[in-house]
Amino acid sequence: SITPGELLCLGSSLAFSGLFYYLYRRKARVVARIQEAPKLQVDDNLPALVSAAEGRCLPYVALEGIVLPAQAALTSHYHEGLQGVIQKLLLKEHRLIWNSLARSW
C-alpha cells in the first residue's frame, strides 16, 4: 500500500518536474530566437533601419562591426592581445508613481 507521505513526495516531485520543464522550454524558445537573430552591420544604414522598424526597436539582432572605445580599451590580464570595451547602458524610468504607504516615488 502507498502511504500519504509517499503520495505527497510523488506529487511534489511531479509538480517540480513540470515547473522545471516549463522553465526549460521557455528559455529554449528564447535561445532559439537569439540564434535566429538577423546579423546587421554597423554602418550608416543602421539608424535608418532602426527608425523604420516597428516601435523604433529591433528585437534580437546581432550587430557586427568595429567598435571604438570612448577612452581606452580594456586589456585582458589572462590573454595577451585580447581587448574589449564596456557597453554603456542607459536605464530610463517611464513613469513614477507616488507610494503613500512607503512615502516614496
Side-chain angles (χ1 to χ4, degrees), residues 52-97:
E54 181 181 336
R56 297 175 47 110
C57 179
L58 296 173
Y60 295 123
V61 295
L63 294 177
E64 296 177 343
I66 297 174
V67 177
L68 300 175
Q71 295 173 357
L74 302 173
T75 56
S76 174
H77 297 286
Y78 304 108
H79 300 285
E80 188 175 323
L82 188 63
Q83 294 184 337
V85 295
I86 296 176
Q87 179 182 0
K88 185 176 181 179
L89 297 175
L90 175 66
L91 178 65
K92 184 177 179 181
E93 289 273 341
H94 294 287
R95 187 170 117 186
L96 294 175
I97 298 174

